[in-house]
Amino acid sequence: LPPLEDGLSPLLQLKNGGFLRSMSPDLFESSKSGGGSLIMQVSNPVVVPAEMGSDTMDILQGLASVGIERLSMQANKLMPLEDITGKTAQQVAWEGP
């Protein structure tokens, strides 16, 4: 994977324990934006209560059945993402975990 920015690795741990990682440019080589980069932010792994389901599809269907607003609230509660809007990868790295 390409580095997030010059002098950085492709994976960066955030303050909240989540991660920022670069994605393969091959995934969007036919994109019209040309020359852009793609990154993804992921939260810490979570353990969900047994009543939410026994496999991924059960859990996703249960979450989806409550509607978009409640789904967003539950996902943010279980897997919060850090707001990095407007920050460069270098600024995120300086803030560190």
Side-chain angles (χ1 to χ4, degrees):
L1 295 174
L4 287 165
E5 199 170 288
D6 286 342
L8 294 178
S9 71
L11 184 68
L12 195 78
Q13 188 167 9
L14 302 174
K15 287 187 298 190
N16 70 356
F19 292 90
L20 193 64
R21 78 173 270 227
S22 67
M23 302 293 289
S24 172
D26 297 338
L27 295 173
F28 55 100
E29 65 185 14
S30 62
S31 170
K32 294 180 183 179
S33 63
S37 61
L38 181 65
I39 60 172
M40 175 177 33
Q41 184 181 164
V42 295
S43 75
N44 277 330
V46 297
V47 176
V48 296
E51 60 266 13
M52 288 186 74
S54 59
D55 65 21
T56 304
M57 286 309 295
D58 286 345
I59 294 167
L60 290 175
Q61 286 173 340
L63 287 171
S65 70
V66 298
I68 189 65
E69 286 184 29
R70 188 144 178 233
L71 167 64
S72 296
M73 252 184 355
Q74 286 180 334
N76 195 35
K77 182 180 174 185
L78 291 170
M79 302 169 288
L81 295 178
E82 188 173 324
D83 185 4
I84 56 172
T85 306
K87 295 179 183 178
T88 66
Q90 193 69 46
Q91 288 170 319
V92 173
W94 287 331
E95 292 173 357

